[in-house]
């Protein structure tokens, strides 16, 4: 099965032609112009057909003369451009054409068909299966609303398409939707898709409602699909329907790469099935070690959590236990707990080495500084001045980190750039933590420094960057 991405942008594309935000300005400067999301499969089937799709096909070097099937997901104008049917009529195409979609979308198209055109309208709803040509189309529920002609916005009239081709390759076309409904996750369980095209409209904007995905909900949707065995390590995951609330493309590609997903340009051609596309993104669950450094309140913990956000299950090693006498620290711990996904298991411990050795699922270790302070306190090294037991714990941590059998992300404070501590104990702690950070970094495939919420790779090439 061959798929041409005619567009990968949101309704207003990316950049928005009326916008001068940093994301839009940088995209325009780089010539990264994205049109409304649509795709052409095997030159015979269109997945959505907004007003930009016909011209996008020509720019991609394709003709639509062979199209026999159009699958419309919903009635929003970036997905239904009914004038395409008129253009086809003017060209005098004599072949039959199937137009499949929710009734509201089909209603927008009926008046654009000539009286002698062999167009068959096929209304569908979630849960149904239809055959068009050699393709099996399973209709899945979306969490999205569309406008019914002459009515107010309503729910339940947008769908997703689970498409199997004549070669038995299978893909999920999941645009537009919010967090996937339970009925959809149940329906796609065990699908083991060859490719998934999943919308990621709103990027860093999370106050948009619940009928689209963003950089917080997108990885959770991937985790749910992985948990259902709909996405495997062999599935090519592509983010589509991208809007200008996303960070600039290099940063977005890096974020998506952590989750086993990628972003492609308009006009990209994919061979769905075994091939180079399948290996472009490394399996997210492969054993690896990532060290995330940063100053106080730099966003390092949020970044580290994001790295593992698409994992269905994560062991969260929290080394900063709650002190009932410190209200501010208790609030910080509570905030960390609240933003962890439901599938993450939290263990509050300073015995990190043992936990790493026993881990059977990805681990987030947050943070090294509080772990080190806890081990110093545990051995009463400040009172005795004897740090031999602390050094033994450090050596044990290095050994466990080096041999970690799962994907591990650790967070630590970068203490070498601040004010020199005024006390001897402060200077000793700074020096010791600096040595610990350096040793962990030496045994890490990826090292990232977070400053003012922005990550900079000190070592390692992320999967997302390789895909570019």
């Amino acid at each position: 099965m061959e798929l041409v991405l005619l567009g990968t942008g949101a309704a207003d594309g990316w950049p928005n032609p009326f916008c001068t935000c940093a994301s839009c300005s940088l995209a325009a400067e780089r010539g990264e112009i994205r049109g409304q999301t649509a795709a052409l499969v095997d030159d015979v089937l269109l997945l959505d057909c907004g007003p930009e799709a016909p011209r996008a096909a020509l720019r991609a070097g394709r003709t639509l003369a062979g199209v026999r099937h159009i699958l419309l997901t919903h009635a929003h104008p970036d997905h239904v451009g009914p004038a395409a049917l008129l253009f086809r009529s003017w060209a005098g195409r004599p072949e039959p054409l199937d137009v499949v979609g929710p009734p509201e979308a089909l209603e927008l198209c009926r008046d654009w068909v000539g009286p002698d055109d062999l167009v068959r309208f096929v209304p569908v709803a979630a849960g149904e299966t239809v055959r068009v040509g050699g393709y099996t189309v399973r209709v899945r529920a979306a969490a999205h609303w569309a406008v019914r002609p002459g009515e107010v916005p309503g729910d339940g009239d947008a769908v997703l398409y689970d498409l199997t081709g004549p070669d038995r390759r299978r893909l999920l076309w999941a645009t537009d939707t919010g967090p996937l409904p339970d009925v959809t996750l149940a329906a796609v369980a065990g699908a083991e898709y060859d490719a998934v095209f999943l919308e990621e409209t709103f990027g860093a904007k999370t106050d948009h409602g619940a009928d689209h995905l963003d950089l917080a909900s997108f990885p959770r949707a991937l985790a749910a699909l992985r948990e259902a065995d709909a996405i495997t390590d062999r599935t090519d995951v592509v983010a589509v329907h991208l809007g200008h609330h996303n960070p600039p493309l290099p940063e977005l590609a890096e974020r998506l790469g952590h989750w086993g997903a990628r972003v492609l340009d308009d006009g990209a051609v994919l061979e769905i099935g075994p091939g180079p596309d399948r290996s472009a993104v490394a399996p997210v669950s492969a054993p690896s070690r990532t060290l995330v450094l940063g100053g106080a309140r730099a966003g390092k913990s949020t970044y580290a959590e994001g790295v593992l956000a698409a994992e269905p299950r994560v062991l969260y090693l929290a080394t900063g236990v709650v002190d009932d006498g410190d209200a501010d620290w208790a609030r910080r711990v509570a905030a960390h707990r609240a933003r962890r996904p439901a599938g993450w298991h939290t263990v509050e411990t300073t015995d990190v080495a043992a936990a790493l050795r026993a881990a059977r699922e990805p681990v987030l270790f947050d943070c090294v500084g509080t772990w080190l302070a806890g081990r110093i306190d545990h051995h009463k090294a400040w009172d005795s001045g004897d740090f031999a037991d602390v050094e033994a714990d450090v050596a044990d941590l290095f050994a466990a980190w080096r041999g970690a059998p799962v994907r591990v992300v650790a967070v630590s404070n970068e203490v070498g750039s601040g004010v020199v501590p005024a006390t001897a104990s402060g200077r000793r702690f700074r020096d010791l933590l600096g040595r610990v950070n350096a040793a962990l970094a030496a045994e890490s495939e990826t090292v990232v420094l977070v400053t003012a919420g922005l990550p900079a790779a000190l070592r390692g090439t992320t999967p997302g960057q390789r895909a570019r």
Side-chain angles (χ1 to χ4, degrees):
M1 187 191 300
E2 181 195 70
L3 183 143
V4 182
L5 278 171
L6 302 181
T8 57
D12 54 346
W14 183 18
N16 179 312
F18 297 94
C19 184
T20 59
C21 74
S23 177
C24 287
S25 298
L26 288 169
E29 180 181 319
R30 296 185 176 113
E32 297 162 352
I33 311 301
R34 298 177 185 277
Q36 296 163 348
T37 293
L40 176 64
V41 177
D42 295 333
D43 289 326
V44 300
L45 185 148
L46 274 172
L47 288 165
D48 282 318
C49 184
E52 297 178 352
R55 206 64 54 197
L58 294 176
R59 282 193 291 271
R62 300 302 176 108
T63 174
L64 299 184
V67 169
R68 301 291 177 266
H69 324 288
I70 301 176
L71 307 185
L72 303 173
T73 55
H74 60 293
H76 278 165
D78 56 316
H79 296 265
V80 180
L85 298 175
L86 181 62
F87 303 157
R88 184 179 186 273
S89 178
W90 288 348
R93 300 307 314 175
E95 302 88 354
L97 175 70
D98 299 317
V99 181
V100 179
E104 298 82 14
L106 302 187
E107 281 302 311
L108 298 176
C109 299
R110 295 183 187 277
D111 291 342
W112 295 83
V113 175
D116 299 323
D117 291 345
L118 297 178
V119 175
R120 178 176 71 121
F121 290 103
V122 183
V124 294
E128 297 179 349
T129 299
V130 296
R131 290 275 298 180
V132 291
Y135 299 87
T136 299
V137 182
R138 301 173 180 89
V139 187
R140 306 303 187 194
H144 190 67
W145 60 266
V147 178
R148 297 182 176 93
E151 297 184 14
V152 298
D155 293 322
D157 49 4
V159 299
L160 314 177
Y161 288 115
D162 179 342
L163 182 70
T164 302
D167 59 359
R168 304 190 67 79
R169 300 301 173 194
R170 189 173 178 183
L171 65 85
L172 178 64
W173 184 252
T175 177
D176 303 10
T177 184
L180 296 172
D182 289 342
V183 65
T184 297
L185 293 172
V188 303
E192 297 185 353
Y193 289 110
D194 294 292
V196 168
F197 300 86
L198 182 62
E199 77 121 273
E200 195 284 287
T201 304
F202 276 107
K205 182 178 174 61
T206 58
D207 58 348
H208 52 79
D211 63 343
H212 279 294
L213 298 178
D214 50 48
L215 285 173
S217 53
F218 179 87
R220 290 198 288 268
L222 293 183
L225 289 168
R226 288 192 172 98
E227 185 76 0
D229 289 325
I231 290 178
T232 72
D233 286 342
R234 299 184 303 107
T235 304
D236 191 8
V237 180
V238 179
V240 293
H241 210 270
L242 302 166
H244 71 124
H245 294 289
N246 278 286
L249 182 60
E251 185 179 338
L252 176 62
E254 191 252 357
R255 293 279 293 275
L256 294 174
H258 289 310
W259 306 328
R262 58 180 181 152
V263 58
L264 297 174
D265 295 333
D266 288 14
V269 180
L270 293 84
E271 291 295 332
I272 307 299
D277 289 326
R278 189 59 44 80
S279 60
V281 177
V284 296
S285 298
S288 64
R289 291 151 297 193
T290 297
L291 178 63
V292 180
L293 302 167
R297 314 300 283 176
K300 56 188 181 296
S301 291
T302 300
Y303 176 84
E305 290 167 8
V307 170
L308 296 176
E311 296 282 3
R313 292 172 297 280
V314 171
L315 174 62
Y316 195 113
L317 297 180
T319 59
V321 297
V322 176
D323 180 353
D324 293 334
D326 189 336
D328 177 67
W329 183 252
R331 282 192 296 269
R332 292 190 184 199
V333 171
H336 275 246
R337 289 173 176 167
R339 69 186 185 219
R340 296 169 201 160
W344 290 23
H345 174 55
T346 300
V347 173
E348 295 181 345
T349 182
T350 59
D351 192 1
V352 172
L356 288 177
R357 291 189 177 96
R360 295 297 177 265
E361 56 197 24
V363 173
L364 179 55
F365 166 21
D366 191 357
C367 77
V368 178
T370 53
W371 169 83
L372 181 59
R375 299 316 293 170
I376 293 172
D377 290 342
H378 174 76
H379 294 298
K380 297 181 173 55
W382 293 129
D383 298 330
S384 66
D386 182 359
F387 277 71
D389 289 337
V390 175
E391 294 286 359
D393 287 347
V394 168
D396 193 32
L397 174 65
F398 292 162
W401 178 260
R402 188 180 301 114
V406 295
R407 193 180 188 197
V408 183
V409 179
V411 177
S412 189
N413 296 290
E414 176 49 58
V415 293
S417 301
V419 176
V420 175
T423 64
S425 59
R427 291 190 292 273
R428 182 160 191 174
F429 179 80
R430 179 201 61 178
D431 294 347
L432 182 54
L433 181 56
R435 287 197 293 108
V436 172
N437 288 345
L440 292 176
E443 295 290 346
S444 298
E445 289 83 355
T446 303
V447 182
V448 177
L449 176 65
V450 181
T451 306
L454 298 177
L458 303 181
R459 171 187 288 168
T461 302
T462 70
Q465 290 169 325
R466 282 205 302 273
R468 290 290 299 164

